[in-house]
């Protein structure tokens, strides 16, 4: 029987990064992916539309990865394997129905000017907001980069208490819980500023009227100025191959077409996995599963392996809204109505503004096709011109406001949704409506389109078993399933009730995105020095600090 130190279930970013990091730490690692391709939501394709066009079928933008501790540790190895990030000074904009637009750049002074352009008070408001956020950025980013249900999480809380005092901490927590609508209204005067930032809340799996959506919008707004909108030159496949290469070069195994159907538990401890083929692979130190709670507790583990309150909570785990992708190959660059900079911007949200996002989210939550969806219009060519033949263009569309499950109707009253199943007909009718709206902004869209390919929530769910119902974020990110409560209040964090079994992926803290956060947190936990060594090194650190302060004061 093949035996490894660690066996990863699933080949998405969290598994790949975790496996690469553990391999570099000397662990013998095996990674098992059920589909024929590695990468999970990173799916670069040259066959989607027309020859010469390279599309990111699903995830495209890598600011979370380039800002991650996993990248910081792996950068040298990935550089040597050909990974190069390209970036832009124009990460995002919103294009409004009246032809006006608003921009967020990577220049602080530039953003102060942009915001002031819409309302005089909004320039200083951006300056104050950004500086205020940065003063406590260690805490805000810390929430997303710390194992919250652990001594480290408690440490973060103590750090906040020392800084703010008791009442100050309460006030800070209050701001963390505020909605995007309230935060925007309290911070900026102009509707353009609201319409520029509100669509970003969709990228956190929330809507603008949900708890904590204000905090998440603020984190993203500041991160966009700080980090831009990087993409790997040539596509995400370069990152996937680089990470897999690190594992293989260290002697580990990376397999596709290998579906894990059972985690084998003996004496309360995960000891091996069994593949659908019947093969068993032994894990001496850890099984790390990047799956949904539904699959982990309702499929991979046997009855009685986990406590019933945990398996019950996993059964009740909620999935979020569905999502649709539309890809265009165009024979020429887009002719945007209005500001020329729209054609150089990585992600343009075509939106009526904050109320438009709110309305579309609400319609989707009620099972309806929204009348006026937020069109997330990604333009990878604005950052990486290698993706398509010179003089041509790619448009990557996300529609994040679609019902979870069956479609009950059309909020615009135009489309007959029949039995609510995502048929090819329903998908194309809805894509036609979105294309017509986008065509009012990109004036040559219809004329220059070589090919359009749409993927419904059902198509997306069929590509990756973790994207249940076409929820691209691995489960609802509402407060009761987020932060400390992700994946489950009954099994918080990444340690599971089964010894040696760890839970990672978008369904776990810090949630969805390409930041590899959960893979990194588990790697850190597994490679943490044993308690006596930790104690000795903390005594050594304290001694060094004492020596330094004595030296300073003498
Ligand atoms: C359409 C779309 C667009 C997105 N855009 C962005 C973006 O631009 N930027 C961004 O930061 N994030 C984006 N996201 C979110 C982000 O891509 C995901 O949150 C993230 O990639 C999830 O990574 P993961 O590690 O959880 O694993 P996943 O990528 O979900 O991969 C999990 C893998 O595990 C495999 N698997 C599951 N069960 C088993 C089993 N039993 N045996 C073996 N293998 C198994 C699956 O086949 C899958 O390949 C997007 C997501 C989608 C779907």
């Amino acid at each position: 029987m093949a035996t490894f130190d660690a066996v990863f279930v699933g080949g998405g970013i969290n598994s790949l990064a975790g496996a690469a990091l553990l391999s570099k730490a000397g662990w013998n690692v095996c990674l098992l992916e059920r589909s024929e391709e590695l990468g999970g939501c990173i799916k670069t394709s040259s066959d989607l539309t027309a020859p010469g066009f390279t599309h990111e079928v699903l995830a495209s933008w890598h600011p979370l990865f380039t800002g991650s501790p996993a990248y910081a540790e792996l950068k040298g190895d990935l550089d040597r394997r050909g990974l190069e990030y390209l970036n832009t000074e124009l990460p995002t904009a919103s294009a409004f129905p009246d032809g006006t637009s608003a921009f967020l750049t990577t220049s602080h002074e530039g953003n102060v000017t942009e915001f002031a352009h819409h309302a005089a008070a909004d320039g200083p408001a951006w300056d104050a907001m950004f500086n205020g956020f940065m003063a406590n950025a260690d805490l805000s980013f810390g929430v997303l980069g710390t194992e919250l249900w652990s001594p480290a999480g408690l440490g973060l809380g103590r750090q906040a208490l020392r800084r703010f005092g008791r009442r100050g901490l309460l006030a800070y927590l209050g701001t963390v819980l505020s909605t995007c609508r309230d935060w925007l209204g309290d911070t900026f005067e102009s509707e353009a500023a609201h319409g520029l930032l509100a669509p970003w809340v969709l990228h956190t799996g929330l809507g603008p009227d949900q708890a904590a959506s204000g905090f998440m919008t603020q984190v993203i707004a500041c991160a966009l100025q700080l980090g831009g909108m990087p993409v790997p030159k040539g596509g995400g496949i370069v990152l996937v191959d680089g990470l897999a290469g690190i594992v293989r070069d260290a002697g580990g195994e990376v397999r596709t077409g290998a579906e894990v159907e059972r985690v084998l538990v003996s004496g309360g401890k995960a000891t091996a996995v069994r593949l659908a083929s019947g093969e068993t692979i032994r894990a001496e130190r850890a099984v790390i599963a990047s799956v949904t709670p539904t699959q982990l507790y309702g499929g991979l583990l046997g009855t009685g392996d986990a406590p019933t309150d945990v398996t019950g909570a996993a059964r009740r785990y909620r999935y979020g809204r569905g999502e649709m992708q539309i890809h265009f190959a165009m024979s020429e660059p887009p002719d945007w109505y209005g500001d020329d900079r729209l054609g150089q911007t990585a992600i343009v949200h075509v939106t009526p503004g904050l109320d438009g996002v709110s309305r579309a989210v609400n319609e989707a939550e009620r099972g309806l096709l929204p009348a006026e969806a937020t069109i997330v219009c990604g333009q990878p060519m604005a950052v990486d011109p290698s993706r398509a033949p010179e003089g041509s263009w790619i448009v990557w569309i996300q529609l994040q406001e679609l019902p979870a499950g069956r479609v009950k109707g059309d909020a615009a009253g135009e489309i007959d949704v029949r039995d609510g199943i995502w048929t090819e007909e329903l998908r194309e009718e809805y894509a036609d409506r979105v294309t017509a709206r986008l065509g009012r902004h990109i004036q040559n869209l219809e004329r220059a389109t070589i090919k359009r390919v749409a993927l419904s929530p059902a198509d997306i769910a069929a590509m990756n078993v973790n994207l249940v119902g076409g929820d691209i974020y691995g489960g609802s990110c509402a407060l009761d399933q987020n932060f400390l409560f992700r994946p489950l209040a009954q099994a918080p964090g990444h340690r599971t009730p089964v010894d040696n079994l760890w839970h990672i992926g978008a369904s776990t803290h810090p949630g969805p995105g390409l930041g590899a956060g959960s893979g990194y947190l588990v790697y850190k936990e597994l490679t943490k020095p044993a308690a006596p060594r930790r104690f000795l090194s903390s005594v050594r650190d304290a001694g060094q600090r004492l020596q330094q302060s004595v030296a300073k004061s003498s």
Side-chain angles (χ1 to χ4, degrees):
M1 190 193 301
T3 302
F4 295 86
D5 291 324
V7 173
F8 281 84
V9 182
I13 185 68
N14 284 290
S15 290
L16 283 165
L21 288 159
L22 279 180
S23 299
K24 273 177 63 71
W27 286 47
N28 185 22
V29 169
C30 174
L31 182 146
L32 302 163
E33 166 56 49
R34 71 193 284 279
S35 72
E36 294 306 323
E37 286 169 10
L38 281 179
C41 297
I42 306 178
K43 195 173 168 58
T44 310
S45 170
S46 303
D47 305 324
L48 191 70
T49 55
F53 287 79
T54 303
H55 296 267
E56 295 293 17
V57 181
L58 302 172
S60 175
W61 310 96
H62 290 221
L64 290 177
F65 188 71
T66 54
S68 72
Y71 183 51
E73 284 197 31
L74 294 169
K75 186 171 183 309
D77 299 85
L78 291 169
D79 287 353
R80 280 193 291 286
R81 288 171 175 80
L83 180 66
E84 181 189 347
Y85 274 103
L86 303 173
N87 210 338
T88 171
E89 290 166 9
L90 282 173
T92 191
S94 280
F96 303 116
D98 63 359
T100 60
S101 45
F103 291 81
L104 190 71
T105 75
T106 53
S107 151
H108 183 67
E109 292 71 32
N111 287 334
V112 171
T113 310
E114 288 288 340
F115 277 78
H117 169 71
H118 302 293
D122 284 354
W126 175 266
D127 187 47
M129 184 283 293
F130 184 81
N131 291 329
F133 176 85
M134 290 312 289
N136 297 307
D138 56 337
L139 296 176
S140 303
F141 289 127
V143 169
L144 302 174
T146 303
E147 182 67 271
L148 296 176
W149 189 254
S150 76
L154 213 56
L156 194 68
R158 282 208 204 94
Q159 191 184 335
L161 185 63
R162 274 196 303 275
R163 185 170 310 166
F164 299 125
R166 269 169 44 190
R167 278 172 192 272
L169 180 58
L170 202 62
Y172 176 76
L173 287 176
T175 61
V176 169
L177 294 179
S178 74
T179 68
C180 172
R181 177 182 294 282
D182 290 341
W183 175 70
L184 285 172
D186 289 347
T187 312
F188 302 109
E189 274 181 14
S190 79
E191 290 204 7
H194 300 174
L196 172 63
L197 299 180
W200 276 100
V201 82
L202 301 174
H203 299 264
T204 70
L206 293 170
D209 299 296
Q210 278 181 282
S213 59
F215 170 71
M216 295 304 283
T217 312
Q218 192 179 9
V219 172
I220 292 199
C222 297
L224 287 169
Q225 178 180 298
L226 290 168
M229 193 54 69
V231 296
K233 185 173 179 188
I237 186 70
V238 186
L239 169 62
V240 170
D241 287 346
L243 291 169
I246 295 172
V247 178
R248 290 188 175 118
D249 292 351
E253 219 173 280
V254 177
R255 285 164 64 173
T256 55
E259 176 167 7
V260 175
E261 67 169 21
R262 184 51 59 100
V263 173
L264 301 176
V265 177
S266 167
K269 194 171 174 181
T271 54
V273 300
R274 192 178 67 228
L275 302 187
S277 63
E279 185 186 352
T280 300
I281 299 173
R282 234 183 124 65
E284 296 278 359
R285 297 162 83 178
V287 173
I288 302 154
S290 181
V291 299
T292 60
T294 320
Q295 190 189 168
L296 182 59
Y297 295 105
L300 293 185
L301 288 171
T303 313
D305 286 341
T308 49
D309 65 327
V310 176
T311 50
R315 257 197 315 277
R316 294 189 300 275
Y317 186 75
R318 298 191 313 278
Y319 291 90
R321 294 186 299 272
E323 200 260 357
M324 182 186 268
Q325 291 285 127
I326 310 179
H327 298 278
F328 291 89
M330 288 173 68
S331 58
E332 60 189 46
D335 175 14
W336 280 90
Y337 181 84
D339 197 315
D340 282 346
R341 291 179 300 166
L342 289 168
Q344 299 144 37
T345 302
I347 295 182
V348 180
H349 290 114
V350 175
T351 171
L354 168 60
D355 284 343
V357 178
S358 169
R359 179 180 155 201
V361 166
N362 179 272
E363 288 166 350
E365 305 268 347
R366 288 187 290 121
L368 305 176
L369 299 175
E372 204 174 8
T374 310
I375 306 176
V376 183
C377 179
Q379 306 186 97
M381 291 287 284
V383 191
D384 178 8
S386 79
R387 304 282 178 97
E390 207 180 327
S392 54
W393 201 253
I394 284 173
V395 176
W396 172 99
I397 300 285
Q398 269 192 330
L399 302 163
Q400 304 202 36
E401 299 137 333
L402 287 170
R406 264 172 201 245
V407 182
K408 292 185 190 154
D410 176 17
E414 293 166 354
I415 298 174
D416 175 5
V417 303
R418 296 162 208 104
D419 61 2
I421 303 277
W422 278 105
T423 58
E424 194 179 322
E425 207 176 357
L426 180 58
R427 178 188 70 203
E428 296 304 318
E429 278 182 63
Y430 188 63
D432 285 346
R433 174 149 100 208
V434 171
T435 305
R437 253 186 73 218
L438 187 60
R440 275 177 238 138
H441 293 266
I442 301 180
Q443 301 168 107
N444 58 343
L445 182 66
E446 196 184 338
R447 177 171 49 79
T449 294
I450 300 169
K451 186 157 183 192
R452 180 185 91 181
V453 173
L455 301 169
S456 72
D459 298 327
I460 289 172
M463 283 181 177
N464 178 344
V465 69
N466 287 5
L467 308 178
V468 177
D471 168 8
I472 63 171
Y473 294 138
S476 161
C477 296
L479 192 55
D480 65 322
Q481 285 196 173
N482 215 337
F483 305 115
L484 263 177
F485 308 107
R486 200 165 184 88
L488 307 168
Q490 291 77 358
H494 302 94
R495 212 180 266 278
T496 71
V498 178
D499 283 350
N500 285 7
L501 175 62
W502 299 81
H503 191 188
I504 61 168
S507 303
T508 70
H509 182 70
L514 297 176
S518 53
Y520 184 81
L521 286 172
V522 168
Y523 145 73
K524 284 306 265 188
E525 191 59 33
L526 289 172
T527 53
K528 206 162 71 176
R533 274 173 52 209
R534 274 208 317 278
F535 175 70
L536 286 177
S537 78
S538 68
V539 169
R540 195 190 53 228
D541 290 349
Q544 279 171 352
R545 278 200 300 275
L546 191 67
Q547 267 179 355
Q548 281 162 2
S549 64
V550 169
K552 256 193 213 157
S553 59
S554 57

